[in-house]
Amino acid sequence: SLAAGRWRQFTFVEQMANIAGEVERAVAWRAKQNPAYATRAYERALELLDLTLTDTTHPTRLREVARVREALVDFFSGANVYASTDASWRTYFSPFTYAARRTH
């Protein structure tokens, strides 16, 4: 249902907060040594990032979202050339989560 247009009804902050939830799940499952669940959460985060990239209501944000996607793929599937950490992802996404909670 998200791909059917509901995703575009969310503000950018809400979109990023939802992505943050999936990234957090992926990080947590990876720490718990459960690669199958970690992979599912990571793939869901990528799907949400892709939906955000196709959302033309926030065109000024596309570069940032594309960079986040690139760094996330590098972190979970690549060589981690950006030297991302679990903590750096939490630090990046926490303002979005906080802002989304404050608006509701």
Side-chain angles (χ1 to χ4, degrees):
S1 67
L2 288 175
R6 214 178 75 153
W7 188 249
R8 288 193 169 111
Q9 295 173 355
F10 293 139
T11 66
F12 177 72
V13 169
E14 290 170 327
Q15 289 175 351
M16 294 300 283
N18 278 285
I19 294 164
E22 294 300 331
V23 172
E24 180 60 38
R25 278 186 274 288
V27 166
W29 282 117
R30 191 164 77 168
K32 292 178 183 179
Q33 307 279 322
N34 192 326
Y37 283 8
T39 299
R40 282 190 215 136
Y42 159 65
E43 289 172 350
R44 180 70 177 145
L46 291 181
E47 289 175 24
L48 295 178
L49 283 164
D50 290 342
L51 284 174
T52 302
L53 285 168
T54 63
D55 184 358
T56 57
T57 52
H58 309 292
T60 59
R61 313 273 192 194
L62 295 181
R63 181 177 289 170
E64 177 180 0
V65 175
R67 183 62 64 155
V68 168
R69 189 186 192 292
E70 177 184 346
L72 193 65
V73 169
D74 176 58
F75 180 64
F76 281 101
S77 300
N80 199 18
V81 295
Y82 296 116
S84 300
T85 64
D86 296 351
S88 68
W89 285 110
R90 288 184 181 109
T91 299
Y92 174 78
F93 279 113
S94 66
F96 294 110
T97 305
Y98 179 76
R101 286 184 185 152
R102 298 244 333 148
T103 60
H104 288 281

